[in-house]
Structure formats: structure tokens, C-alpha cells
Amino acid sequence: MSRKLSQYPFVGRISLILLLVMWLGGCTTTPPKNISNICEIFLEKRHWFDTAEDMSEKWGVPMHVPMAMMYQESSFRADALPPKDYVFFGLIPWGRVSSAYGYSQAKTPTWADYKRETGNGWADREDFEDAMDFMGWFISKTHKINRVSKWDAEAQYLNYHEGWGGYKRKSYHKKRWLQRVAKTVKSRSLRYATQLKGCREELEKGWFMRLFT
């Protein structure tokens, strides 16, 4: 009863589809192994460093600031989601507390504004390059709107969390927990900046130069 596989072309197609699905599954971006060290992050994911450099040149934003903010927001998980919301005395899950999603935890309306203003209509919140560019755009606008330094990770994070209007109204004054988190982001940003000084020369080497080191 055995017959050649070529007599069943659909079997070959199905096998090809299954292999493609398995390959795509294996390509799912995973977070860096040590997210506490920016050098190890960029040495593990070299293209992330190139992306962060491009963002810095485009928006004038030091890369350690959005990296520290991204650590806080998603721990560098591409598919990060906000906590679930609950109803009926906290017993029944009912959606999410916000529309934030992805590396940057950008909310849907703000992400739409970014795409419209930058012309990056195909931007994806699960794409590190798009997420980093979004954060550069947001930090740059925060500087223009609220006159916050692009190097001030604490105040930038407060704007990121509360929005430009909320920051102007000083809504964060009523949120001690948020003020503590913002200070944590600042500390991590400074630590990232210090770490980066020690490895930037290595990171800036091209693939060819790395063959001889």
C-alpha cells in the first residue's frame, strides 16, 4: 500500500507549512538574559544597540534614558500587557486596566499619534526598533511641551506615565508610589549610563573588526 510522497502533493505542502510555523515560533523575540546590565543587553542583542544609536541621533535622546524606562515598563518583553482589570468585588477579570502594550507599553491613542506624526504607519508595538523610536519621539515631545531635559529620566518617566497634561497639573504629587518608581528609573538610567561608558567602544566595532578581537 506504500506510495511515493510525490503522489500526495498536499502532504508536502502541509509539511512545509508546519515547518514554517515551527520556524516562526522559534524566532519569537525573547528578553535579554541580564536586563540589569546595559552592556550585556547590547552584547547579546547587537542590533538593539544599532537601533538605540539611530534613535539617539534622530531625536537627540541619550539611549540609557529610554532603556531604563523600557526596563520599568515591560522588562524588555515584546508582548508585555498591563495587569488585568476586575469587576464584581475583584472576583471577575474584565479586560485590562489600559490599552498599553509591547516593549514601550504605549497606549493605543498615543501610538496612533506617533504613527500619524512620524509617518511610520506600519509601526508595531512588538518591534523593538519601532518601540525605541516611539520612546525617542515621546521624550523629545516632552522636552518641547514641558521643557523637561531629555537626560532627566525621573521627570521624563513621570510625563510618560501621567501624560503631558497630567504632568503639568502635577497629578503625580498624589501618587507617592509613582514618585518612588520614577526615582528608581532615574537610578537605573544613571547605572546604565555608567555601564555604557565601559563597553561603548566594543559595541561600536563592526562585525569585521570583532573578528580580530
Side-chain angles (χ1 to χ4, degrees), residues 104-125:
S104 62
Q105 287 295 280
K107 294 180 180 178
T108 300
T110 314
W111 188 258
D113 289 342
Y114 158 74
K115 291 200 295 184
R116 185 182 66 255
E117 290 188 16
T118 61
N120 189 9
W122 293 100
D124 184 348
R125 283 180 279 184

Side-chain angles (χ1 to χ4, degrees), residues 38-91:
I38 198 170
C39 292
E40 293 192 27
I41 291 173
F42 286 150
L43 286 169
E44 180 183 342
K45 297 180 181 290
R46 291 274 183 169
H47 62 289
W48 281 20
F49 175 73
D50 295 334
T51 293
E53 263 202 327
D54 291 343
M55 178 282 305
S56 187
E57 291 176 9
K58 179 179 180 180
W59 300 107
V61 173
M63 64 179 74
H64 59 271
V65 173
M67 287 294 286
M69 291 166 62
M70 191 177 287
Y71 176 111
Q72 184 63 43
E73 292 295 281
S74 69
S75 297
F76 302 104
R77 288 181 291 115
D79 57 354
L81 287 165
K84 288 183 178 180
D85 198 8
Y86 289 84
V87 296
F88 196 65
F89 306 104
L91 298 175

Side-chain angles (χ1 to χ4, degrees), residues 157-158 161-162 172 175-182:
Y157 185 76
L158 291 172
H161 194 278
E162 298 296 277
Y172 56 89
K175 302 176 181 178
R176 290 289 184 87
W177 63 270
L178 178 58
Q179 293 176 49
R180 288 194 295 271
V181 171

Side-chain angles (χ1 to χ4, degrees), residues 1 18 29 35 56 74-75 81 83 108 116 144 150 157 184 190:
M1 297 291 292
L18 288 173
T29 304
I35 62 176
S56 187
S74 69
S75 297
L81 287 165
T108 300
R116 185 182 66 255
K144 291 177 183 176
K150 297 175 183 179
Y157 185 76
T184 299
L190 294 174

Side-chain angles (χ1 to χ4, degrees), residues 142-194:
T142 296
H143 174 65
K144 291 177 183 176
I145 295 171
N146 285 334
R147 308 311 303 169
V148 172
S149 169
K150 297 175 183 179
W151 295 75
D152 187 345
E154 181 177 353
Q156 283 287 347
Y157 185 76
L158 291 172
N159 274 269
Y160 200 75
H161 194 278
E162 298 296 277
W164 299 305
Y167 182 83
K168 281 183 179 178
R169 295 191 301 272
K170 295 181 170 51
S171 58
Y172 56 89
H173 280 183
K174 298 178 181 178
K175 302 176 181 178
R176 290 289 184 87
W177 63 270
L178 178 58
Q179 293 176 49
R180 288 194 295 271
V181 171
K183 290 185 183 303
T184 299
V185 172
K186 176 184 177 180
S187 297
R188 182 168 293 111
S189 172
L190 294 174
R191 186 160 59 251
Y192 273 176
T194 301

